[in-house]
């Protein structure tokens, strides 16, 4: 099957989609502090610089979908959005955060360029409409329980608000207990909707609830899946990173050490260029 060309949307001065070069949506899973976010943004920018790769800095102010009540959730709406706003201004990069409630959409859109809809909430109509009405770009993750062709209905809810800055993101599909599997046919299926497609390499290797009170993961396979997705031809790659993943407050087992990112990005850009030259 040939490369499926999508629409191109604008995100904070970046063009995403069509045959535009791969854009990274990258950063730590959870915001920890302003100093930590600055350090991560600096290291990500340095990793992207040799290939001229464009990136959107992502981090969450609240991780509401945790495995257990005792898991840390983050800095909260006000402090978290303040940090993301500062990072965007200081580094001149777009920023992304996820939202869980309709009333969080407007303040998140004031601080960030991209609002992300978590996979578990991708069919929540009120949340999708509130996000769309902000006018921000929307990255909506495909639920682990949905088929890729079901995302056309999800995107239609957002587009009904007049907002056509939509990204569709695959993060794996439920495969038995505590396991996800990636079906790369789904990337082409979602691209046929016309919306730019994102592949989430790090959550696709997550083992939901796999450690009992927390989720596990197999980060060694994230680069493998990322290469495969870039070979299919995606518009953007979502990939979380941290300077010390094993000490991260959330999703550590999935995240790529930031000192490995430069080499990985170089390989991914080669696969991306090959796919989009066809």
């Amino acid at each position: 099957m040939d490369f499926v060309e999508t629409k191109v949307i604008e995100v904070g001065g970046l063009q995403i989609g069509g045959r535009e070069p791969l854009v990274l949506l990258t950063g730590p899973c959870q915001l920890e502090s302003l100093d930590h976010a600055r350090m991560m943004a600096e290291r990500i920018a340095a990793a992207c610089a040799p290939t001229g790769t464009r990136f959107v800095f992502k981090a969450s102010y609240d991780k509401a979908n945790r495995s257990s009540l005792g898991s840390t959730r983050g800095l909260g709406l006000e402090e978290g959005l303040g940090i993301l706003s500062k990072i965007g201004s200081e580094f001149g990069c777009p920023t992304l955060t996820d939202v869980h409630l309709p009333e969080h959409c407007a303040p998140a859109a004031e601080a960030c360029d991209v609002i992300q809809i978590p996979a578990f909430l991708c069919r929540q109509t009120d949340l999708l409409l509130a996000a769309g009405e902000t006018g921000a770009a929307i990255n909506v993750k495909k639920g682990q329980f949905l088929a890729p062709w079901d995302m056309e209905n999800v995107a239609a809810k957002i587009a009904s608000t007049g907002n056509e800055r939509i990204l569709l993101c695959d993060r794996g599909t439920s495969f038995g207990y505590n396991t996800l599997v990636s079906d790369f046919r789904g990337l082409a299926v979602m691209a046929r909707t016309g919306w730019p497609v994102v592949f989430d390499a790090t959550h696709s290797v997550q083992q939901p609830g796999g450690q009992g009170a927390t989720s596990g993961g197999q980060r060694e396979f994230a680069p493998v899946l990322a290469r495969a997705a870039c070979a299919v031809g995606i518009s953007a790659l979502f990939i979380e990173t941290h300077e010390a993943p094993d000490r991260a407050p959330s999703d550590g087992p999935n995240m790529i050490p930031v000192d490995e990112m430069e080499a990985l990005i170089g390989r991914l850009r080669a696969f991306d260029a090959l796919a989009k030259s066809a």
Side-chain angles (χ1 to χ4, degrees):
M1 180 176 173
D2 293 334
F3 171 72
V4 180
E5 192 160 344
T6 68
K7 302 175 183 179
V8 177
I9 69 167
E10 184 274 333
V11 176
L14 304 183
Q15 302 297 307
I16 301 179
R19 293 183 184 268
E20 292 289 324
L22 182 74
V23 172
L24 298 184
L25 313 181
T26 186
C29 179
Q30 186 178 132
L31 282 168
E32 299 177 34
S33 68
L34 176 57
D35 286 344
H36 183 263
R38 279 180 175 140
M39 179 273 293
M40 287 302 304
E42 287 174 355
R43 296 186 67 173
I44 289 167
C48 290
T51 52
T53 300
R54 304 159 303 159
F55 73 94
V56 176
F57 182 84
K58 67 79 44 192
S60 300
Y61 61 82
D62 180 20
K63 301 299 295 181
N65 296 328
R66 300 309 306 274
S67 297
S68 67
L69 185 62
S71 298
T72 59
R73 290 184 51 168
L75 301 178
L77 180 72
E78 185 174 349
E79 183 179 0
L81 292 181
I83 289 173
L84 288 166
S85 181
K86 287 185 175 71
I87 295 298
S89 296
E90 292 177 14
F91 289 87
C93 63
T95 56
L96 174 154
T97 196
D98 37 8
V99 294
H100 299 86
L101 297 170
E103 56 266 33
H104 286 184
C105 292
E110 289 182 11
C112 298
D113 302 275
V114 186
I115 294 176
Q116 182 165 278
I117 306 297
F120 287 129
L121 302 179
C122 70
R123 289 181 56 171
Q124 295 295 105
T125 301
D126 290 344
L127 181 61
L128 293 170
L129 295 179
E133 287 166 357
T134 67
I138 311 298
N139 183 40
V140 56
K141 291 195 174 184
K142 182 186 79 64
Q144 301 92 322
F145 45 86
L146 286 186
W149 45 86
D150 293 330
M151 290 299 285
E152 187 166 7
N153 292 326
V154 173
K157 292 181 181 181
I158 300 170
S160 74
T161 67
N163 187 341
E164 295 196 344
R165 300 170 67 212
I166 301 169
L167 301 165
L168 301 182
C169 182
D170 191 295
R171 56 142 301 163
T173 301
S174 295
F175 187 72
Y177 298 126
N178 305 124
T179 306
L180 300 171
V181 65
S182 293
D183 180 357
F184 291 102
R185 296 173 299 179
L187 300 177
V189 169
M190 291 199 297
R192 287 174 182 164
T193 67
W195 305 113
V197 172
V198 183
F199 181 69
D200 181 344
T202 42
H203 285 101
S204 291
V205 299
Q206 187 184 65
Q207 295 170 317
Q211 295 180 344
T214 60
S215 291
Q218 296 175 299
R219 78 168 68 98
E220 68 271 24
F221 293 118
V224 177
L225 298 186
R227 292 196 299 271
C230 289
V232 170
I234 53 174
S235 297
L237 180 73
F238 182 105
I239 188 163
E240 290 185 334
T241 183
H242 196 276
E243 84 284 3
D246 291 333
R247 297 199 301 272
S250 66
D251 275 340
N254 316 316
M255 286 195 283
I256 302 297
V258 72
D259 61 6
E260 297 177 11
M261 286 288 285
E262 181 179 330
L264 176 60
I265 292 167
R267 291 191 291 270
L268 297 178
R269 285 295 302 272
F271 280 98
D272 178 67
L274 181 62
K276 291 173 182 172
S277 67

